[in-house]
Amino acid sequence: MKILVINAGSSSLKYQLFDMEGEKVLAKGLCERIGIDGHLKHTPLVEGKNVFNEDISLPTHAEAIAAVIDKLTSPEYGVVSSMSEIHAVGHRVVHGGEFFSASVIITDEVMKAIEACNPLAPLHNPANITGINACKKVMGDKIPQVAVFDTAFHQTMPGKAFTYAIPKEFYEKDKIRRYGFHGTSHRYVATRAAAMLGRPIEELKLISCHMGNGSSICAIDGGKSVDTSMGFTPLVGLPMGTRCGDLDSGIIQYLMNKYGYTIDEMMNILNKKSGVLGVSGISSDFRDLDNAAAQGNKDAQLALDLFHYDVAKVIGSYAVAMNGVDAIIFTAGIGENSKETRAAICEYFTFFGCKINPEANSKRGEEIEISTSDSRIKLLVIPTNEELVIARDTQELVK
Ligand code: AMP
């Protein structure tokens, strides 16, 4: 079965075509500048086919999907002979609100529920909907489409973890609560962790640290999310590349009054100019911060220290929330690649009997246990693969 996985943004569209026999990626690519001018990079991963990397006109997402199908089926760049070889499409959808606790086949009713979640993710859900509609338009109604939600995995959180201490009508009427994000990634690495440890997921207490441009931590007890650091929006929790993470909300009023910022200007500062970029004044990229700190830049060092400290604090609180922890998982750009970050975070847990193996920790890009054999808590590096989860869920639902 061949499955196309789509991640549609407001002006971009990422895709991967999977052959589920062997779970191989046949081709992947990225449409950019949709609605502006347009660029497509298409990379076939089978021998004898060429990469396509050119500016092409992409006025809407429908033209982008048509261009993707054209490349996937072309003799020079393609990996299938016709569109009918694509059995189903799996879409990443950011917000499923309280409607969806698992992936679903997209129907008219499902579309209405996704639309109802637009106010909860105004930058993401409308773009995801545009991607789904573009696929329907180009591929027709016969090819089933599936929605896989970033929020779904966290729907198992208990009320005490998802409730904010504000008047209850804001939850009852307006659905203000913690939703959490990166659920597809946390779910994938938790499943892999159980396989690596050779134990049923039902008996494991795991803490998954997804650390990339956006970062979140998830407490996973018996395979279910019981708490997570992102909240109603992906702005909170850890300090991130450019996002502030947890912040005293009184600061917003103070700065708006003092500088006359509008709420949009204030939110732009908290979303785009804060996090490790804001603290360091240098970069949102941890590689730049590592280099600057190594050359003695104190602000870069403070940004890194603050990040490590906050990650460690959340891990500590989740160990308490679950009354134990069997393994801590590191994933995403920073978690998978930065041995310095992993080592600095694990320093906080030596009192737990948590010991890192420096040699294993220096490896990159592979699933690996980085704790010593006598460490009381296992430490695992697991490269995430959200696209594969979307493809698997899609296969499962359309089978
Ligand atoms: P992601 O959002 O998962 O793609 O992660 C992207 C982030 O990973 C980048 O902004 C970097 O901060 C970080 N990153 C990637 N490679 C490294 C590395 N070798 N060392 C430190 N950070 C890295």
Side-chain angles (χ1 to χ4, degrees):
M1 185 184 283
K2 299 200 174 70
I3 289 171
L4 181 61
V5 172
I6 299 281
N7 182 355
S10 55
S11 67
S12 71
L13 187 144
K14 274 192 234 162
Y15 64 94
Q16 290 192 8
L17 182 67
F18 281 83
D19 184 347
M20 295 312 285
E21 214 169 291
E23 296 187 328
K24 272 197 326 248
V25 181
L26 298 175
K28 60 182 181 179
L30 172 65
C31 299
E32 287 179 291
R33 300 177 62 81
I34 301 170
I36 306 164
D37 36 31
H39 186 91
L40 169 60
K41 179 163 187 195
H42 166 84
T43 309
L45 299 169
V46 299
E47 253 179 52
K49 301 291 175 169
N50 294 328
V51 172
F52 179 91
N53 189 10
E54 287 179 25
D55 290 340
I56 55 170
S57 166
L58 299 175
T60 71
H61 284 68
E63 280 87 0
I65 291 287
V68 169
I69 300 291
D70 180 57
K71 290 295 163 281
L72 287 172
T73 55
S74 102
E76 189 180 350
Y77 309 101
V79 291
V80 289
S81 52
S82 79
M83 193 166 74
S84 61
E85 275 190 53
I86 300 171
H87 291 92
V89 185
H91 293 268
R92 177 193 181 207
V93 179
V94 166
H95 220 303
E98 289 191 328
F99 295 109
F100 301 106
S101 55
S103 305
V104 285
I105 293 192
I106 297 172
T107 60
D108 290 346
E109 261 184 8
V110 166
M111 284 301 269
K112 280 194 197 122
I114 298 174
E115 273 164 32
C117 296
N118 280 357
L120 300 175
L123 297 180
H124 293 102
N125 268 36
N128 302 150
I129 290 170
T130 309
I132 296 167
N133 284 332
C135 281
K136 275 194 200 158
K137 187 169 172 191
V138 175
M139 302 176 82
D141 282 338
K142 291 222 174 71
I143 298 181
Q145 304 203 48
V146 165
V148 179
F149 302 92
D150 278 21
T151 50
F153 182 59
H154 302 299
Q155 280 295 300
T156 46
M157 279 189 291
K160 64 183 176 186
F162 74 66
T163 304
Y164 290 118
I166 55 176
K168 66 186 167 100
E169 56 265 31
F170 291 126
Y171 171 59
E172 289 163 355
K173 279 209 321 251
D174 305 307
K175 296 290 164 210
I176 306 293
R177 51 159 286 174
R178 182 188 302 280
Y179 289 101
F181 299 87
H182 294 141
T184 313
S185 174
H186 291 304
R187 175 155 68 102
Y188 174 77
V189 297
T191 310
R192 289 303 311 149
M196 285 172 77
L197 298 172
R199 290 175 61 188
I201 199 164
E202 292 74 19
E203 61 181 50
L204 287 172
K205 295 177 193 291
L206 302 169
I207 298 176
S208 158
C209 307
H210 178 112
M211 304 186 295
N213 248 328
S215 297
S216 73
I217 305 190
C218 183
I220 304 163
D221 197 347
K224 296 197 163 80
S225 168
V226 292
D227 207 344
T228 192
S229 59
M230 282 180 170
F232 178 68
T233 71
L235 178 60
V236 298
L238 303 169
M240 308 180 211
T242 62
R243 284 174 250 171
C244 60
D246 284 347
L247 184 83
D248 178 345
S249 42
I251 294 171
I252 297 176
Q253 183 196 29
Y254 181 88
L255 290 178
M256 287 177 70
N257 282 344
K258 182 157 189 196
Y259 295 110
Y261 294 138
T262 63
I263 188 67
D264 285 349
E265 285 167 340
M266 192 68 239
M267 294 314 289
N268 191 47
I269 292 170
L270 300 180
N271 270 299
K272 306 254 171 78
K273 298 182 179 166
S274 300
V276 293
L277 168 69
V279 174
S280 69
I282 294 177
S283 173
S284 63
D285 193 305
F286 278 65
R287 286 163 289 201
D288 299 338
L289 298 179
D290 282 339
N291 289 337
Q295 286 163 21
N297 185 301
K298 290 205 165 46
D299 293 334
Q301 190 60 54
L302 177 63
L304 291 169
D305 289 347
L306 180 96
F307 181 78
H308 303 150
Y309 178 64
D310 277 7
V311 171
K313 277 202 302 191
V314 176
I315 293 174
S317 69
Y318 287 173
V320 172
M322 293 193 289
N323 205 353
V325 51
D326 295 297
I328 299 170
I329 307 162
F330 297 103
T331 193
I334 304 161
E336 291 166 27
N337 292 303
S338 175
K339 60 176 189 232
E340 294 83 2
T341 302
R342 295 189 298 254
I345 293 166
C346 292
E347 272 291 302
Y348 284 95
F349 300 108
T350 47
F351 85 97
F352 267 1
C354 179
K355 291 190 205 156
I356 199 162
N357 172 349
E359 198 191 320
N361 188 40
S362 64
K363 302 249 168 66
R364 267 177 63 182
E366 57 181 290
E367 283 186 355
I368 188 165
E369 185 177 327
I370 58 165
S371 40
T372 59
S373 54
D374 62 341
S375 177
R376 279 184 53 209
I377 300 167
K378 301 281 181 205
L379 303 168
L380 306 173
V381 176
I382 304 179
T384 195
N385 196 341
E386 288 157 287
E387 292 79 11
L388 179 58
V389 178
I390 297 174
R392 281 181 183 163
D393 280 10
T394 304
Q395 179 186 33
E396 200 53 41
L397 283 164
V398 303
K399 222 165 39 186

